[in-house]
Amino acid sequence: MVTMATSPPFQAVLDRIAEEIEQLPGRGRPADYIPALAALDPRRFGMAVAEPDGAVYGVGEWRQPFSTQSVTKVYTLALDLAREGDALWEHVGREPSGNPFNSLVQLEYENGIPRNPFINAGALVVTDRLHTRTGNAAGALLDFLRAESGNPELSFDKEVAASETAHGDRNAALAHFMASYGNIGNPVPVLLDQYFRQCSIDASCADLALATGFLARHGIGADGSRLLTRSQAKQVNAVMLTCGTYDAAGDFAYRVGLPGKSGVGGGIIAVVPGRCTLCVWSPGLDERGNSVAGVAALDRFTTLTGLSVF
Ligand code: GLU
């Protein structure tokens, strides 16, 4: 096998990956607990790579907007960490949970402090804190994504947000339970509205690869301003590596070897610090909630290019 370790021609790598995994889109099933996502065709596939200077390459449906869902948890974590720093970690941990993303059981043992910011309970805490600081967490997130992707068209998908609200009993239970421990500051209905709008944002692989660039640039935003300290960018990448792909983070690290974050819309973002950011989308999910074709495509990317953090 040829390993392209220096200056990888990203377009050629992406074209080759799309060819190699041709049979995979279509495997797995779209998330059906959110009715608005259940109808997605699992054969859809797109992938993009962005370089730190903003050059972007893609294959398949890389400009097609999709439901970003839990991928957004990376950006709300970054936005909150930038504002409150280490104080955040008194309210949410940074250890893998080993439990499904919407599990309630661990919260009781651990007194309402979620294991990490990427399971739903942890993301609710982060959004709650960001909302307290900004007065509009979902709006702050949307502004951030528009600025970092350079795409002013990004927006909330009202149908998806409404669908999640109508089927949001589990998230409501998590939020109320944590509120009973004093770990939620806003009224639960206000928090849920913010959280569901956050998850409903539509963006393409190109948008998300670009918007994640600050993590490859060690905390520097698209306009050159500092969004996170170098150390905080490292921290976000580390939490992505250990907790970013539900309770399959060990397998993802083993196969892909990059910080990554998946969402039940079928998107996955990944970071090669200093080199590039990636986003892949294909709605067919495995039993743990990660895109089947998405994980395979990232696996091929690091194998073909030799670009990983290990
Ligand atoms: N909005 C989804 C939920 O809260 C996000 C889940 C995900 O993508 O992991 O259930």
Side-chain angles (χ1 to χ4, degrees), residues 126-293:
V126 172
T127 298
D128 178 62
R129 302 187 71 76
L130 186 62
H131 191 62
T132 299
R133 279 169 193 272
T134 60
N136 184 358
L141 169 66
L142 187 60
D143 288 347
F144 172 86
L145 287 174
R146 285 176 173 169
E148 292 303 306
S149 66
N151 183 357
E153 310 279 301
L154 296 186
S155 59
F156 302 113
D157 182 327
K158 292 196 175 70
E159 193 202 334
V160 169
S163 185
E164 289 210 58
T165 304
H167 297 84
D169 291 334
R170 176 67 67 126
N171 286 313
L174 290 168
H176 280 296
F177 194 67
M178 292 187 293
S180 77
Y181 284 95
N183 202 18
I184 295 293
N186 292 285
V188 168
V190 171
L191 168 59
L192 291 175
D193 177 57
Q194 290 290 319
Y195 174 76
F196 291 138
R197 286 205 290 143
Q198 159 185 339
C199 293
S200 81
I201 292 174
D202 282 338
S204 70
C205 291
D207 296 325
L208 293 182
L210 288 167
T212 311
F214 70 104
L215 291 176
R217 293 185 297 263
H218 306 292
I220 304 292
D223 66 357
S225 62
R226 183 162 282 289
L227 298 173
L228 293 180
T229 66
R230 193 179 174 103
S231 176
Q232 287 170 332
K234 176 203 71 181
Q235 292 162 359
V236 174
N237 277 319
V239 179
M240 288 169 72
L241 182 75
T242 52
C243 311
T245 39
Y246 308 117
D247 54 341
D251 192 57
F252 186 84
Y254 178 87
R255 290 180 63 188
V256 177
L258 292 176
K261 180 74 199 89
S262 53
V264 296
I268 310 178
I269 56 170
V271 184
V272 187
R275 297 298 294 272
C276 64
T277 44
L278 300 108
C279 179
V280 59
W281 171 61
S282 188
L285 308 180
D286 62 24
E287 63 287 352
R288 278 143 146 193
N290 295 309
S291 167
V292 175

Side-chain angles (χ1 to χ4, degrees), residues 30-31 33-34 37 40 67-70 101 246 262-267 283 285 289:
Y33 76 101
I34 302 172
L37 300 181
L40 282 171
S67 191
T68 54
Q69 295 295 320
S70 280
F101 65 96
Y246 308 117
S262 53
V264 296
L285 308 180

